[in-house]
């Protein structure tokens, strides 16, 4: 009886395990399928996002140009015999060139429409050419000037020419002229240098991101110079020197909270402290950098503390056991080993700072600024704020430029994160 | 002055036994019948069986260099070391044995103030090194640790070159005037640690690339490069294979000509092989200290006997 029961028991154990095996496998398969589904959804969203962005923004990197034969007549440009680059009527020269191509346009309103085919900055092209080589005066030159944004949009197919004339910003006559120009080989799409060499502008064909890029660059410099040393110093102190008591816990909780504070709150703080109280200039990269430092600081402190904690205690003990002081332990052993982690944290913090716009709105960096900033206190804007500004603009041509600016911003973020990964891989030491 | 036989020895209070049997006698002294003077004294003294305060055997030694008197260690509320008194002789190897968690490592770490790094740790009593109180305010732990070196359980070379590992101590203490002198210290230390032959052509390679036994010898070379007076070893062979262990033990033998060595070990055989004296710890108390032969052949305390015969531990 007893023996049998025992035997049955042995069998049941085995049987039970085998009976449960199918269920276990099914659970595992289900879990895997769920994980794969989640990953797929994420990747699909990412692909949709990138493809729509590239689809909309890629065309902004090319811009339509119109070829004009400008007559640089001396009596028109330098009536006094002297060429004055500031006052000479370069726009008149461009207008003359357009009239030469379409001599039968005589009506004043039609002419005005004709002149709008080219960018209002076309006169500057002529001026720049003459500034480079004043000897050209008296000759006839063939130059390429940027087409106006509406022409550009029409060529790129963003304006539908089949619509009723009243529903599109390009008139029937303009469409006709553009077709003629195209047939004459006077239209060409070239790389849009203006996007990278100009500051902001009301005219889409002249608007560029250089001002925003420089503004972001100066801000990140300030942020890096402030947040990295302060963050690392705070992390080293908290990890290696600070007594572990209730105060340390309180500080830790607050740093973690600070990392989760909405960024616009930091903007308000910057407005109150840096602009109202310290009277620093508005819209300046200096103030933006200070605000972003506050924002980045908790991220860097948390990452640095994690990096320091990851240094094995045996290394510290070895150094202490040899008679190294705590400072020497930190600077000879802990810091070199923790540095890759600290730098990774700093880069991730910086890429977060690069993508921030909300706090910058609070300190006036949302202003329309045409000039490219040349220093830390010049009025400037930042890349994400520029995107915000352009996304707000009614002109159709700003839509593709918004996407283009986003592509550039994402490119920089990607580069920074890639640098973080490479740095971690390269500098990681084994112990 | 500090004569072996005249030293007072702490004995378990509850044991009303003639003091002569516990007065730190050598093996022979304890085993020799003393019929003339003591009448019917037993050939082998009864084992002390009760676990209480006090230490059996002889905590003193002939030529004390480090002296711990009534040392207590607390980790917060935990009383980790209870009233331990122990002398460590000049150029002797003393082994601390005992079951896990008995406080032998804690005691070892008191000797170079490594417990300072643990915030909740508190040490009372006095420990002197060559007559100087190591816990006095005027003594910098940095200076102490240059004199009392330490080798850890797990080989922990710095993730630097072999050369830099050994040169680190002399560098931070400014022991070498120039590069040539530093080279000499590094070579000498590696040689003494028995590692020079194996690594002399690859001093610039990382120390972490060596095998476990080589790493531990590198750590020993690194320790003796500072030329300490005492070397503390915290289970230095527990992560090594028997061949590497044998090399380290040989090395300890050679080093004991110049240094006092305190070694914590879980291996009875190792303690028997390398040490001159053995101290048995149990639950934070120093139960028995004596000459190694004495402890292993004729322990005075029941707990010691149980431990070395494998009944506890």
């Amino acid at each position: 009886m007893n023996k049998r029961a025992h035997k049955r028991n042995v069998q049941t154990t085995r049987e039970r395990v085998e009976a449960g095996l199918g269920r276990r496998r099914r659970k595992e398969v289900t879990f895997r399928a769920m994980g794969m589904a989640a990953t797929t959804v994420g990747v699909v969203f990412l692909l949709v996002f990138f493809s729509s962005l590239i689809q909309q923004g890629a065309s902004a990197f090319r811009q339509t140009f119109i070829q004009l034969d400008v007559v640089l007549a001396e009596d028109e440009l330098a009536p006094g015999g002297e060429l004055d680059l500031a006052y000479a009527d370069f726009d008149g020269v461009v207008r003359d060139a357009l009239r030469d191509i379409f001599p039968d346009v005589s009506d004043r309103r039609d002419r005005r429409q004709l002149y709008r085919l080219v960018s209002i900055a076309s006169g500057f092209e002529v001026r720049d050419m003459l500034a480079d080589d004043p000897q050209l005066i008296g000759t006839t030159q063939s130059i390429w000037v940027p087409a106006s944004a509406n022409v550009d949009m029409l060529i790129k197919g963003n304006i539908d020419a089949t619509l009723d004339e009243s529903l599109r910003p390009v008139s029937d006559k303009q469409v006709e002229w553009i077709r003629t120009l195209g047939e004459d080989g006077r239209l060409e799409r070239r790389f849009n240098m203006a996007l990278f060499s100009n500051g902001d502008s009301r005219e889409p064909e002249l608007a560029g991101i250089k001002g925003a890029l420089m503004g972001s660059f100066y801000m990140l410099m300030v942020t890096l110079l402030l947040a990295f040393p302060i963050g690392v110093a705070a992390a080293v102190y908290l990890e290696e020197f600070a007594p572990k008591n209730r105060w340390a816990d309180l500080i830790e909780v607050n740093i973690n909270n600070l990392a989760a504070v909405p960024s616009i709150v930091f903007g308000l703080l910057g407005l109150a402290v840096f602009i109202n109280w310290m009277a620093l200039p508005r819209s300046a990269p200096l103030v933006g950098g200070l605000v972003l430092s506050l924002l980045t600081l908790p991220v860097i402190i948390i990452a640095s503390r994690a990096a320091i904690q990851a240094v094995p205690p045996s290394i510290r003990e070895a150094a202490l056991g040899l008679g190294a002081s705590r400072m020497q332990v930190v600077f000879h052993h802990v810091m070199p080993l923790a540095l890759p982690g600290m730098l990774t944290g700093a880069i991730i913090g910086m890429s977060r700072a690069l993508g921030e716009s909300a706090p910058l709105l609070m300190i006036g960096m949302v202003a329309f600024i045409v000039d490219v900033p040349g220093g830390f206190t010049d009025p400037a804007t930042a890349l994400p704020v520029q995107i915000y500004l352009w996304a707000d603009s009614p002109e159709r041509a700003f839509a593709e430029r918004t996407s283009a600016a986003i592509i550039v911003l994402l490119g920089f973020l990607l580069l920074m994160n890639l640098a973080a990964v490479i740095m971690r891989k390269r500098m990681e030491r084994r112990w | 002055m500090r004569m072996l036989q005249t030293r007072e020895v702490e004995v378990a209070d509850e044991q009303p036994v003639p003091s002569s049997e516990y007065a730190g006698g050598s093996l022979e002294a304890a085993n020799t019948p003393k019929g003339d003077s003591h009448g019917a004294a037993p050939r082998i003294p009864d084992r002390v069986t009760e676990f209480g305060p006090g230490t059996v055997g002889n905590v003193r030694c002939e030529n004390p260099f480090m002296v711990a008197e009534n040392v207590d260690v607390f980790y917060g509320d935990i009383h980790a070391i209870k009233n331990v008194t122990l002398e460590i002789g000049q150029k002797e190897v003393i082994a601390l044995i005992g079951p896990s968690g008995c406080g032998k490592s804690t005691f070892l770490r008191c000797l170079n103030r490594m417990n300072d790094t643990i915030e909740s740790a508190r040490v009372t009593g006095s420990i002197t090194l060559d007559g100087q109180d190591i816990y006095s305010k005027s003594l910098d732990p940095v200076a102490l640790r240059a004199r009392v070196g330490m080798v850890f359980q797990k080989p922990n070379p710095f993730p630097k070159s072999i050369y830099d590992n050994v040169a680190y101590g002399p560098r931070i203490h400014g022991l070498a005037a120039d590069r040539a002198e530093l080279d000499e210290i590094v070579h000498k230390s590696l040689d003494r640690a028995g590692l020079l032959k194996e690594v002399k052509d690859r001093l610039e390679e990382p120390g972490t690339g060596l095998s476990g036994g080589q790493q531990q010898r590198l750590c020993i070379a690194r320790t003796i490069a500072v030329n300490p007076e005492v070397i503390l070893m915290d289970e230095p062979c527990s992560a090594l294979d028997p061949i590497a262990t044998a090399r380290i033990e040989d090395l300890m033998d050679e080093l004991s000509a110049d240094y006092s060595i305190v070694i914590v070990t879980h291996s009875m055989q190792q303690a028997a092989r390398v040490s001159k004296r053995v101290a048995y710890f149990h639950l934070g108390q120093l139960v028995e200290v004596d000459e190694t032969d004495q402890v292993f052949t004729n322990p005075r305390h029941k707990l010691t006997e149980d431990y070395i015969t494998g009944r506890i531990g």
Side-chain angles (χ1 to χ4, degrees), chain A residues 304-425:
Chain A
S304 301
R305 289 185 72 169
I308 292 171
Q309 280 165 6
V311 174
S314 65
I315 299 287
R316 286 189 189 84
E317 285 199 324
L320 281 174
L322 279 175
S325 66
R326 287 172 90 178
M327 269 274 286
Q328 287 171 325
V329 173
V330 169
F331 284 98
H332 295 168
H333 301 288
V334 176
M335 285 282 275
L337 292 175
L339 203 60
M342 291 174 167
L343 287 174
T344 307
I347 291 176
I348 287 167
M350 300 302 283
S351 63
R352 191 189 156 190
L354 177 62
E356 274 299 342
S357 54
L360 305 181
L361 305 183
M362 287 287 117
I363 55 161
M365 293 192 80
V366 71
F368 173 72
I369 290 150
V370 176
D371 291 328
V372 175
F376 292 101
T377 50
D378 287 354
T381 183
L383 213 42
V385 180
Q386 187 69 71
I387 290 167
Y388 165 74
L389 283 171
W390 282 355
D392 233 17
S393 303
E395 286 89 349
R396 185 67 185 77
F398 272 126
E400 63 169 21
R401 280 170 172 76
T402 307
S403 294
I406 293 173
I407 291 173
V408 172
L409 179 62
L410 287 181
F412 275 105
L413 291 177
L414 204 70
L415 273 181
M416 286 170 83
N417 289 341
L418 202 67
V421 170
I422 290 173
M423 200 176 281
R424 193 163 43 201
K425 284 255 148 72

Side-chain angles (χ1 to χ4, degrees), chain A residues 138-149:
Chain A
T139 62
T140 299
Q141 292 292 323
S142 171
I143 63 164
W144 291 88
V145 295
S148 72

